[in-house]
Amino acid sequence: MPLLGRGFNRPEADAPLVVRLLLPPASVALQQLALDTLRARRWPQTDELILAQWPLLPVAQRPVIVETLASQAVWTQSLLNAVERGVVGVAEIPPATRSRLRFHGSDATKARVAKLFPEQTASRAAVLASYAATASLKGDAAKGAALFTTSCAS
């Protein structure tokens, strides 16, 4: 079902309105519809408008939004800029998207992707061994609760 309205004939006004539909309290269905509209319309500055709202975007929707931003060359550059600036976390870029960007696009984009997302060469056993010492650490329930409240609870 497409978004209904006056026709989306004023991109400078329409794009910010549709981007706001990506944010709560909009339903997941409405958020997906807004994202589909943004992907289809390809309005100028859509990438910048989305990335300006990044901290407010639902965590569950971010992988789909990343995939949308990685679907166009200009938007991909904005996404990589946001990763370089720390706006978008490296871990927020799904492995499949990283892999696709590593092998597609311009040579400059491939080089940026290789620098931002180096391929992991450590074996699973080596990674587990590097964390072995943490098993003997004592936890602090109060600090854990505070961390959960600020980072996870919403």
Side-chain angles (χ1 to χ4, degrees), residues 25-122:
S27 69
V28 173
L30 184 56
Q31 291 170 359
Q32 185 59 52
L33 193 57
L35 193 58
D36 291 344
T37 299
L38 293 167
R39 187 182 302 116
R41 296 289 175 163
R42 299 179 184 203
W43 287 313
Q45 280 96 34
T46 296
D47 49 343
E48 295 164 17
L49 291 168
I50 292 171
L51 291 165
Q53 299 297 322
W54 192 261
L56 304 174
L57 293 170
V59 174
Q61 289 290 90
R62 290 181 185 181
V64 178
I65 294 169
V66 164
E67 192 57 39
T68 297
L69 291 171
S71 70
Q72 296 185 45
V74 173
W75 292 4
T76 297
Q77 297 309 311
S78 294
L79 176 62
L80 296 176
N81 291 341
V83 172
E84 289 171 341
R85 291 190 324 264
V87 173
V88 175
V90 170
E92 292 183 286
I93 310 300
T97 304
R98 293 179 194 187
S99 179
R100 187 171 51 78
L101 293 175
R102 191 172 276 120
F103 298 106
H104 294 358
S106 70
D107 289 341
T109 298
K110 290 176 191 175
R112 284 181 80 188
V113 169
K115 181 180 172 191
L116 286 170
F117 312 110
E119 292 197 52
Q120 303 300 320
T121 57

